[in-house]
Amino acid sequence: IATPTFLYLSKTMSRLSTPLPINRFDLLFSEQLSLLRSTQDALHQSLDCFHTSTSKDEQESAKLQIQSLIARNDELLTSLKVVFEIKKELEYVQQEIQFGLKNKLNVSITI
């Protein structure tokens, strides 16, 4: 069985680097984190079940469930990484716009 990649995030990591009111990013992050935690809890339970199972059928069932949960865990980790990359890019753009406005520069945004 492949070794799952676990990501344990502390509550402090869920905060934005600049204090902002709760926004869509916070809600999306919170939802993704909740899904990741529940998937990892289920994965731990399945691993325990696999190690304590006494029959081949139980082991095979637990093994299939573990493989499925590992795949789901990896998908959720990838989603979180994408969310963080988007957040970083948006923060950079926000800083550039604020700098431009503060210094009365002609700011243009191209998409």
Side-chain angles (χ1 to χ4, degrees):
I1 297 175
T3 305
T5 303
F6 290 103
L7 175 67
Y8 293 102
L9 299 173
S10 66
K11 290 183 181 179
T12 56
M13 287 184 68
S14 68
R15 298 187 186 273
L16 293 172
S17 59
T18 55
L20 296 173
I22 292 179
N23 57 29
R24 283 183 245 166
F25 169 79
D26 293 327
L27 295 175
L28 175 62
F29 178 79
S30 178
E31 180 182 319
Q32 291 291 342
L33 187 58
S34 177
L35 288 171
L36 182 63
R37 284 183 178 151
S38 65
T39 300
Q40 289 183 352
D41 288 344
L43 186 53
H44 281 289
Q45 290 173 355
S46 294
L47 287 167
D48 288 342
C49 182
F50 178 79
H51 291 299
T52 60
S53 61
T54 56
S55 72
K56 293 267 186 195
D57 289 339
E58 287 177 352
Q59 282 185 339
E60 191 60 35
S61 175
K63 184 178 178 181
L64 291 174
Q65 188 173 16
I66 288 167
Q67 290 170 342
S68 173
L69 288 168
I70 287 172
R72 178 72 177 143
N73 185 68
D74 290 345
E75 289 172 10
L76 291 169
L77 282 172
T78 300
S79 295
L80 276 176
K81 289 175 185 177
V82 169
V83 166
F84 274 114
E85 288 301 315
I86 291 170
K87 177 185 141 306
K88 285 192 316 190
E89 288 299 317
L90 289 174
E91 284 179 342
Y92 174 75
V93 169
Q94 182 181 22
Q95 289 173 356
E96 290 291 312
I97 291 171
Q98 288 175 350
F99 176 80
L101 292 173
K102 182 179 170 183
N103 295 302
K104 298 188 189 315
L105 300 175
N106 191 8
V107 177
S108 64
I109 300 173
T110 56
I111 297 176

